[in-house]
């Protein structure tokens, strides 16, 4: 300072002239565009809206461009092509917009058309410093509870050294000298400036600010930012603002905030302890500074190298995206290839089937098909019914060309519910049940790792494909679960259709058989019906005959009581006898037609047959041994009406005796050992001449008698059969000419 | 006299004759109610129905031989004419029986009421109605309690026989039959009555 005073006194006029010169130079700088003022006013005013700001911004093309660029760079998740000014303004906020506009516009003024890299660098340094101070001032304001002033503080900080920038812009060489002097001589910049220019940057700044019509508080800040707080003129409009900026400036320089090239502390930059800004405040500010500073620096594109970086970054990004796309395509391609393989396999599978194979065949085809896709140490496909105990299995032993077909009993298939839940999950690890079936079917080595693929086959069946192979094989197969699902479904459908076809074939066979039996039963029924009809007719006729017979008999009896003539009496008696006989026939017919309902009881076979033998022997006048009885187990019982059985046996024995060879009658009655628990057989055999086929066909017809001589009533066999049937038994006659006749009775053993 | 056996309604004089008492006694019995009867409508004449008279006579132990011929009355019911003729001849020739015949269940019903048989020989299968229905109808009437029913039939089904017994038949005879046996059975039955 002393130097300047000295000089001033001797060179006062030239000094003042020099000042004027400088000032006039400064005047040559372009004015701050009106837009900036308007924007300043708008952003600080409380009733301006986004629309106002947008209008202002859009009125200036370069502002618009800059704002849009900032919005993109702000990395606010905005897509590059949808950014509009209004969105940018909304996103960035008024304050940011103002600060940005201001900074840019102001510094644009100083952009020299022929900027060298040094000047560009220098500009940047000034920017950075200004931003640092602005941030610091902002933070300070917040820390001392002057939040609402923070914005203003920011602006003030931003513009505080505008004088320097102006001087540098106007007279770069001179200013460089100033800088050099300051550094060499260790004087503060202001002094050096005054020496060279006659004014220092604060005055220059004030001058410029006034010219630009900046708000008074701001101008004063620019002018007085080097004054400490207790030496401010009292006419200062906003002392706080000044204090904020001053402290901020000092802090930046002292603490190296922002690390701009411009931060070398100046002598006289000792922190005069401003009571407003305590150490604590300073600490907070220091702490918060990077958070505030870094984004802003980035927003103004000051941290990085510049345009080329953006370009290369874009290129890099594009490259990255391209490689991603490439990877995706490769992956899809791979999936498609595997899908094609699966489809080819399916095609082969369908080629193997021709629509008439059994379930085992289909299973074998499935296994063969999969073998074409996957190499393994053995494959097994088993098919079980939920309710059953056995499974169809198709086994592909390793190294074989054909699949073996098996049908094995596994036992309880109750795991089935668990098993079926695997469908649709691709290859899953095999279960206990799989291991069991695997071992039972004797496939390869059971301890190898196994995978299973569940094949959906409807709710009742379970079909599982089990493979002994490594995980790597499955991976190389490369099929997605969807593809495997498709394959499994195709297998499942084929199996289901073959099963249902097989089932329908079984059903058809059963139907045919049932049909056949039905015909037999119908024939039987018809015979019985006709027999019943005959019987009913016979019974009706018999009943009718009773009346005339009664009259004949009665009248004859009455005459008998009256007449004495012995011949006449004989005649009449004969009449009575014959009517009785006729009545006998009639009764037989009626009994035949409607036998008494059976009252079955348990009869001991041995006892029964012996009694009949005795009775018939006596009744038919046989000698012993002509009628022989043999019973395998005399304790056997039959369940039938005793009277009926008696009549049946008597009729049969009588017939047999009559048919037997007259010279040596041999009739055998025997009961062979039982074939089943349900029935007991009794056989009556004779050694007669037997019956020819025609005779045999009619043997059971009522009143049919082939006997040439003698006349039986002809009802014996028919009645015997009828009685047998109503006791739930069966009667069968076997006879051949020359071989005698054998009648087999079958009675139920118990109720 | 012969009329008395078939008369259905008696005057007090006839009653007196039959019972061998004076007419006055009869009138007094009538008026006191010991003898049931009715008055001819529009007059003062007394009339006594046959069964009231018989009941009165039985109650007072007056012998019935004047009313009764002493012969047992048999009703033969069968739709076969030959059978009916035979029975009629058989029974009348015996001398102990008085016979009436019916060929349908309906006629049987009417004659039972009119003729008051002691025995009914009933064929089981009648054209209009089943024998056991006739049995049951007769049995359901307390007035016929004393009548014996013998069912004659060609059928020998034990179930049917049981059914008939349950319906009220007293005896069962099969066709054709021994005529003497039948007569004896009939006579036996009415002796009890």
């Amino acid at each position: 300072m002393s130097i300047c005073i000295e000089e001033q006194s001797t060179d006062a006029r030239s000094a003042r002239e020099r000042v004027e010169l400088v000032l006039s130079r400064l005047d040559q700088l372009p004015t701050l565009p009106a837009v900036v003022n308007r924007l300043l006013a708008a952003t600080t005013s409380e009733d301006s809206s986004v629309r106002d700001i947008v209008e202002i911004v859009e009125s200036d093309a370069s502002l618009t461009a800059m704002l849009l660029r900032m919005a993109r760079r702000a990395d606010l998740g905005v897509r590059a092509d949808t950014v509009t000014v209004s969105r940018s303004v909304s996103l960035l906020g008024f304050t940011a917009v103002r600060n940005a506009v201001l900074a840019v516009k102001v510094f644009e003024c100083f952009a020299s058309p022929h900027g060298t890299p040094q000047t560009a660098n220098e500009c940047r340094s000034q920017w950075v410093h200004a931003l640092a101070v602005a941030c610091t001032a902002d933070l300070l304001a917040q820390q001392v509870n002057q939040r609402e002033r923070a914005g203003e503080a920011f602006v003030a900080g931003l513009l505080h050294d505008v004088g320097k920038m102006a001087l540098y812009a106007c007279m770069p060489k001179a200013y460089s000298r100033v800088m050099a002097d300051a550094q060499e001589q260790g004087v503060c910049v202001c002094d050096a400036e005054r020496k060279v220019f006659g004014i220092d940057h604060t005055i220059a700044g004030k001058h410029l600010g006034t010219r630009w019509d900046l708000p008074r508080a701001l101008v004063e800040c620019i002018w007085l930012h080097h004054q400490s707080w207790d030496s401010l003129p009292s006419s200062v409009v906003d002392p706080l603002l000044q204090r904020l900026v001053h402290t901020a400036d000092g802090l930046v320089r002292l603490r190296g905030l922002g690390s701009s090239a411009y931060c070398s502390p100046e002598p006289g930059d000792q922190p005069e302890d401003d009571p407003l800004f305590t150490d604590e405040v300073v600490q907070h500010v220091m702490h918060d500074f990077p958070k505030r500073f870094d984004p802003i620096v980035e927003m103004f594109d000051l941290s990085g190298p510049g345009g080329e970086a953006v370009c290369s970054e874009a290129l890099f990004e594009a490259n990255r995206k391209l490689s991603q796309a490439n990877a995706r395509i490769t992956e899809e391609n791979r999936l498609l290839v595997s899908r094609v393989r699966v489809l080819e396999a399916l095609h082969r599978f369908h080629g193997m089937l021709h629509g008439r194979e059994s379930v085992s065949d289909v299973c074998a085809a499935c296994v063969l098909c999969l073998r074409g896709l996957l190499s393994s140490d053995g494959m097994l496909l088993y098919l079980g019914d939920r309710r059953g105990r056995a499974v169809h299995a198709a086994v592909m032993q390793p190294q074989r060309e054909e699949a073996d077909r098996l049908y094995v009993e596994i036992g309880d298939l109750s795991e089935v519910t668990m098993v079926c839940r695997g469908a649709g999950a691709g290859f899953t690890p095999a279960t206990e049940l799989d291991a069991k079936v695997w071992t039972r079917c004797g496939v390869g080595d059971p301890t190898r790792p196994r995978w299973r693929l569940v094949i959906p086959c409807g709710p009742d069946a379970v079909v599982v494909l089990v493979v002994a192979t490594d995980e790597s094989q499955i991976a190389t197969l490369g099929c997605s679960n969807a593809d495997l699902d498709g394959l499994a479904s195709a297998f499942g459908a084929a199996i289901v259709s073959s099963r249902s076809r097989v089932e329908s074939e079984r059903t058809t066979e059963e139907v045919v058989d049932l049909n056949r039996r039905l015909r037999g039963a119908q024939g039987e029924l018809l015979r019985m019906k006709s027999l019943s009809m005959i019987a009913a007719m016979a019974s009706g006729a018999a009943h009718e005959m009773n009346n005339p017979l009664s009259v004949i008999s009665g009248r004859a009896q009455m005459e008998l009581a009256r007449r004495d003539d012995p011949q006449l009496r004989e005649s009449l008696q004969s009449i009575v006898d014959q009517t009785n006989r006729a009545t006998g026939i009639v009764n037989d017919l009626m009994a035949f037609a409607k036998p008494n309902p059976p009252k079955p009881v348990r009869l001991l076979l041995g006892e029964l047959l012996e009694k009949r033998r005795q009775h018939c022997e006596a009744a038919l006048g046989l000698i012993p041994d002509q009628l022989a009885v043999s019973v395998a187990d005399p304790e056997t019982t039959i369940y039938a009406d005793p009277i009926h059985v008696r009549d049946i046996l008597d009729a049969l024995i009588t017939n047999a005796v009559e048919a037997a060879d007259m010279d040596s009658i041999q009739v055998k009655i025997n009961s062979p050992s039982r074939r089943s628990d349900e029935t007991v057989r009794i056989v009556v055999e004779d050694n007669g001449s037997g019956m020819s086929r025609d005779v045999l066909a009619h043997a059971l017809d009522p009143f049919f008698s082939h006997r040439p001589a003698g006349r039986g009533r002809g009802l014996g066999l028919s009645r015997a059969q009828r009685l047998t049937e109503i006791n739930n038994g069966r009667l069968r006659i076997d006879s051949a000419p020359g071989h005698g006749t054998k009648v087999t009775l079958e009675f139920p053993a118990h109720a | 006299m012969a009329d008395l056996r078939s008369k259905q309604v008696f005057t007090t004089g006839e009653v007196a004759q039959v019972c061998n008492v004076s007419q006055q006694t009869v009138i007094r019995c009538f008026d006191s109610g010991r003898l049931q009867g009715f008055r001819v409508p529009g007059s003062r004449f007394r009339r006594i129905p046959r069964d009231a008279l018989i009941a009165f006579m039985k109650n007072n132990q007056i012998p019935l031989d004047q009313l009764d011929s002493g012969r047992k009355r048999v009703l033969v019911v069968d739709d076969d004419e030959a059978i009916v003729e035979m029975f009629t001849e058989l029974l009348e020739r015996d001398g102990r029986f008085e016979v009436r015949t019916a060929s349908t269940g309906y006629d049987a019903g009417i004659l039972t009421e009119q003729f008051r048989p002691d025995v009914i020989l009933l064929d089981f299968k009648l054209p209009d109605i089943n024998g056991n229905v006739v049995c049951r109808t007769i049995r359901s009437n307390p007035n016929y309690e004393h009548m014996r029913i013998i069912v004659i039939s060609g059928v020998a089904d034990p179930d049917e026989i049981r059914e008939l017994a349950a319906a009220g038949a007293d005896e069962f005879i099969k066709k054709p039959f021994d005529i003497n046996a039948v007569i004896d059975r009939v006579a036996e039955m009415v002796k009890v009555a």
Side-chain angles (χ1 to χ4, degrees):
Chain A
M1 283 301 230
S2 52
I3 300 166
C4 300
I5 293 172
E6 273 171 31
E7 280 200 21
Q8 198 174 22
S9 59
T10 52
D11 232 3
R13 202 160 49 104
S14 61
R16 206 156 283 139
E17 273 175 20
R18 220 179 340 171
V19 166
E20 286 304 323
L21 192 67
V22 168
L23 287 177
S24 70
R25 278 287 194 86
L26 287 176
D27 285 346
Q28 279 167 24
L29 283 172
T31 55
L32 200 61
V35 72
V36 176
N37 265 334
R38 279 171 59 208
L39 202 57
L40 260 179
T43 51
T44 47
S45 140
E46 274 166 13
D47 15 14
S48 51
S49 70
V50 171
R51 195 190 303 273
D52 301 339
I53 309 286
V54 168
E55 260 181 53
I56 298 171
V57 167
E58 280 177 345
S59 65
D60 185 339
S62 64
L63 255 187
T64 311
M66 183 210 68
L67 209 61
L68 292 176
R69 193 166 45 89
M70 274 175 58
R72 275 185 226 129
R73 284 197 61 83
D75 195 25
L76 293 167
V78 175
R79 274 184 56 196
D81 50 347
T82 60
V83 151
T84 59
V85 175
S86 123
R87 278 208 77 182
S88 310
V89 170
S90 316
L91 279 167
L92 295 168
F94 282 15
T95 316
V97 170
R98 176 198 58 198
N99 294 342
V101 166
L102 203 55
V104 170
K105 275 305 174 189
V106 163
F107 291 114
E108 249 179 35
C109 296
F110 306 126
S112 81
H114 40 265
T116 63
Q118 283 137 322
T119 52
N121 244 356
E122 185 61 32
C123 277
R124 186 173 292 116
S125 317
Q126 287 171 359
W127 260 93
V128 172
H129 173 74
L131 277 176
V133 173
C135 280
T136 314
D138 187 340
L139 286 170
L140 277 170
Q142 286 181 27
Q143 282 300 319
V144 295
N145 300 322
Q146 294 287 343
R147 231 170 237 260
E148 58 278 11
R149 310 299 307 282
E152 275 184 61
F154 189 95
V155 176
L158 202 63
L159 296 175
H160 80 283
D161 265 347
V162 74
K164 266 196 205 160
M165 295 176 205
L167 285 172
Y168 187 81
C170 292
M171 296 157 279
K173 287 206 191 88
Y175 205 78
S176 308
R177 201 151 32 97
V178 165
M179 296 283 298
D181 279 355
Q183 262 193 317
E184 276 170 32
Q185 291 165 22
V187 296
C188 76
V189 173
C190 295
D191 290 347
E193 283 168 351
R194 219 172 278 124
K195 195 165 151 216
V196 172
F197 298 117
I199 50 167
D200 62 6
H201 64 272
T202 59
I203 310 280
K206 172 175 153 221
H207 183 80
L208 210 54
T210 317
R211 216 173 123 245
W212 284 350
D213 207 13
L214 292 177
R216 182 160 160 199
L218 202 56
V219 172
E220 279 173 355
C221 253
I222 298 171
W223 175 33
L224 297 167
H225 74 268
H226 280 297
Q227 301 287 3
S228 72
W229 64 279
D230 50 358
S231 55
L232 286 176
S234 51
S235 60
V236 165
V237 159
D238 194 354
L240 176 66
L241 198 62
Q242 187 277 335
R243 280 159 85 174
L244 284 169
V245 175
H246 172 74
T247 314
D249 194 23
L251 271 174
V252 167
R253 262 195 262 274
L254 263 178
R255 308 297 179 103
L257 297 174
S259 62
S260 69
Y262 223 65
C263 76
S264 46
E266 297 193 353
D269 262 344
Q270 294 310 309
E272 297 97 354
D273 295 69
D274 192 329
L276 199 57
F277 310 112
T278 60
D279 279 1
E280 200 186 316
V281 166
V282 169
Q283 286 302 329
H284 279 299
V285 167
M286 295 288 293
H287 175 73
D288 294 339
F289 180 80
K291 269 190 287 186
R292 194 72 216 283
F293 185 65
D294 293 346
I296 293 191
V297 157
E298 208 172 291
M299 198 180 350
F300 286 119
D301 192 14
L302 294 168
S303 58
E308 299 100 26
V310 173
C311 191
S312 64
E313 211 179 289
L315 274 173
F316 183 67
E317 184 70 22
N319 214 28
R320 197 174 58 80
K321 288 223 160 74
L322 203 63
S323 66
Q324 272 178 2
N326 204 31
R328 214 172 39 244
I329 289 174
T330 316
E331 178 66 22
E332 271 175 30
N333 210 30
R334 195 181 57 78
L335 281 173
L336 279 171
V337 163
S338 82
R339 184 163 299 168
V340 163
R341 281 178 62 208
V342 168
L343 283 173
E344 278 174 3
L346 263 180
H347 184 70
R348 275 201 308 277
F349 174 67
H350 284 298
M352 287 190 247
L353 305 175
H354 52 74
R356 311 255 330 230
E357 48 285 307
S358 67
V359 175
S360 295
D361 291 336
V362 178
C363 294
C366 294
V367 166
L368 273 172
C369 167
L370 204 67
R371 180 170 163 280
L373 280 177
L374 188 65
S375 77
S376 66
D377 287 327
M379 232 184 267
L380 158 72
L381 183 134
Y382 69 89
L383 184 161
D385 199 61
R386 208 184 260 267
R387 298 174 292 262
R389 297 174 63 80
V391 294
H392 286 279
V395 174
M396 179 62 88
Q397 301 283 7
Q399 320 304 332
R400 291 277 291 277
E401 291 300 315
E402 285 289 315
D404 300 324
R405 289 141 219 226
L406 304 165
Y407 190 71
V408 291
E409 171 143 345
I410 296 297
D412 190 12
L413 283 173
S414 61
E415 266 185 68
V416 161
T417 42
M418 245 171 46
V419 161
C420 283
R421 253 189 257 134
F427 277 101
T428 52
T431 63
E432 288 288 315
L433 181 64
D434 297 334
K436 200 158 128 193
V437 182
W438 184 273
T439 322
R440 283 281 281 126
C441 295
V443 188
D445 175 4
T447 58
R448 284 293 301 279
R450 279 190 293 287
W451 297 88
R452 71 198 318 243
L453 182 67
V454 176
I455 294 178
C457 231
D460 291 322
V462 58
V463 185
V464 181
L465 184 79
V466 186
V467 176
T469 185
D470 295 322
E471 207 163 336
S472 57
Q473 282 293 327
I474 306 259
T476 21
L477 185 61
C479 295
S480 69
N481 277 356
D483 291 338
L484 283 174
D485 213 15
L487 195 66
S489 304
F491 289 164
I495 291 175
V496 162
S497 98
S498 119
R499 264 164 72 102
S500 53
R501 210 201 49 258
V502 162
E503 214 168 293
S504 88
E505 265 180 33
R506 290 291 102 74
T507 309
T508 311
E509 284 161 14
E510 263 174 46
V511 165
V512 165
D513 185 51
L514 276 173
N515 226 21
R516 188 182 52 79
R517 284 199 263 154
L518 188 67
R519 292 313 265 320
Q522 277 177 340
E524 188 66 23
L525 193 67
L526 203 64
R527 188 186 65 81
M528 288 188 68
K529 258 176 76 174
S530 69
L531 204 59
S532 303
M533 266 172 28
I534 294 172
M537 195 182 69
S539 167
H543 187 68
E544 285 304 306
M545 281 212 292
N546 266 339
N547 273 8
L549 281 174
S550 310
V551 173
I552 295 169
S553 170
R555 288 280 177 194
Q557 285 177 51
M558 281 163 77
E559 287 308 310
L560 210 54
R562 267 211 294 236
R563 306 288 174 202
D564 296 318
D565 187 304
Q567 255 184 333
L568 190 56
R569 283 180 72 85
E570 215 178 297
S571 240
L572 289 169
Q573 187 59 51
S574 162
I575 290 173
V576 172
D577 291 337
Q578 290 309 306
T579 49
N580 282 345
R581 195 160 142 239
T583 305
I585 295 175
V586 161
N587 285 344
D588 275 356
L589 264 178
M590 297 209 307
F592 171 73
K594 193 169 161 224
N596 294 335
K599 297 185 201 45
V601 294
R602 296 182 65 178
L603 303 165
L604 274 174
L605 200 57
E607 201 182 305
L608 170 75
L609 292 180
E610 184 53 34
K611 262 211 260 183
R612 287 341 309 145
R613 188 191 67 74
Q614 284 171 2
H615 174 263
C616 289
E617 212 175 70
L620 299 168
L622 300 170
I623 56 179
D625 289 340
Q626 279 185 322
L627 185 58
V629 170
S630 81
V631 182
D633 178 14
E635 298 303 311
T636 325
T637 55
I638 61 172
Y639 188 70
D641 182 311
I643 297 178
H644 290 174
V645 171
R646 180 198 71 192
D647 288 349
I648 294 163
L649 284 171
D650 287 350
L652 288 179
I653 295 170
T654 310
N655 263 22
V657 167
E658 281 176 12
D661 185 359
M662 276 199 291
D663 300 323
S664 63
I665 296 174
Q666 267 292 331
V667 174
K668 290 203 266 269
I669 311 165
N670 59 53
S671 171
S673 52
R674 290 175 49 187
R675 247 188 281 164
S676 87
D677 285 334
E678 299 301 316
T679 58
V680 178
R681 281 181 299 149
I682 302 173
V683 183
V684 179
E685 269 182 270
D686 66 64
N687 65 344
S689 53
M691 292 188 261
S692 69
R693 265 239 299 262
D694 300 331
V695 175
L696 183 58
H698 292 285
L700 292 169
D701 292 353
F703 292 115
F704 179 83
S705 183
H706 72 291
R707 280 194 285 266
R711 219 174 56 248
R713 290 217 182 100
L715 277 179
L717 269 181
S718 316
R719 187 144 180 278
Q721 187 191 44
R722 197 154 164 75
L723 287 176
T724 314
E725 275 168 5
I726 64 172
N727 276 285
N728 293 323
R730 288 212 321 241
L731 184 148
R732 197 181 78 237
I733 307 178
D734 297 299
S735 185
H739 292 91
T741 306
K742 187 164 92 171
V743 179
T744 311
L745 294 170
E746 229 175 271
F747 282 109
H750 42 74
Chain B
M1 266 310 181
D3 284 338
L4 287 174
R5 289 197 204 115
S6 54
K7 232 169 158 34
Q8 297 298 319
V9 180
F10 296 84
T11 62
T12 46
E14 284 162 346
V15 171
Q17 191 187 347
V18 169
C19 299
N20 256 331
V21 298
S22 72
Q23 197 169 1
Q24 276 302 333
T25 314
V26 175
I27 289 170
R28 253 186 280 125
C29 287
F30 186 97
D31 290 343
S32 72
R34 286 200 295 263
L35 175 63
Q36 297 278 334
F38 58 93
R39 285 192 190 262
V40 177
S43 78
R44 297 183 61 243
F45 295 130
R46 300 172 182 79
R47 290 287 181 273
I48 295 98
R50 189 185 178 84
D51 50 353
L53 175 57
I54 290 176
F56 176 74
M57 285 168 81
K58 279 198 180 144
N59 275 339
N60 294 290
Q61 276 108 29
I62 303 169
L64 290 157
D65 48 276
Q66 289 225 42
L67 275 186
D68 232 320
S69 59
R71 288 199 294 177
K72 298 300 168 193
R73 292 185 298 285
V74 180
L75 176 63
V76 179
V77 185
D78 198 320
D79 58 333
D80 189 329
E81 263 185 46
I83 300 266
V84 162
E85 269 175 30
M86 189 179 74
F87 266 121
T88 312
E89 204 179 302
L90 192 62
L91 289 164
E92 279 184 345
R93 218 189 312 142
D94 181 278
R96 293 180 282 176
F97 307 103
E98 194 184 330
V99 182
R100 289 268 198 281
T101 67
S103 59
T104 64
Y106 182 71
D107 288 342
I110 295 194
L111 274 172
T112 308
E113 176 59 35
Q114 274 186 356
F115 181 55
R116 302 296 171 113
D118 299 302
V119 180
I120 304 177
L121 281 175
L122 182 58
D123 182 26
F124 190 64
K125 296 253 179 341
L126 292 170
D128 54 346
I129 204 172
N130 226 356
N132 63 2
V133 177
V134 176
C135 267
R136 261 193 278 253
T137 317
I138 291 171
R139 282 291 165 247
S140 67
N141 191 330
N143 289 335
Y144 306 155
E145 203 189 346
H146 64 279
M147 294 181 195
R148 304 284 95 178
I149 303 177
I150 303 176
V151 176
I152 305 181
S153 184
V155 202
D157 191 342
D159 284 334
E160 283 187 12
I161 295 171
R162 243 201 320 274
E163 218 183 299
L164 285 167
D170 298 291
E171 191 66 64
F172 189 87
I173 296 178
K174 273 204 322 168
K175 280 189 226 177
F177 38 76
D178 183 339
I179 54 172
N180 291 323
V182 169
I183 300 287
D184 290 341
R185 297 265 271 290
V186 172
E188 210 176 297
M189 299 222 107
V190 291
K191 264 208 211 92
V192 178

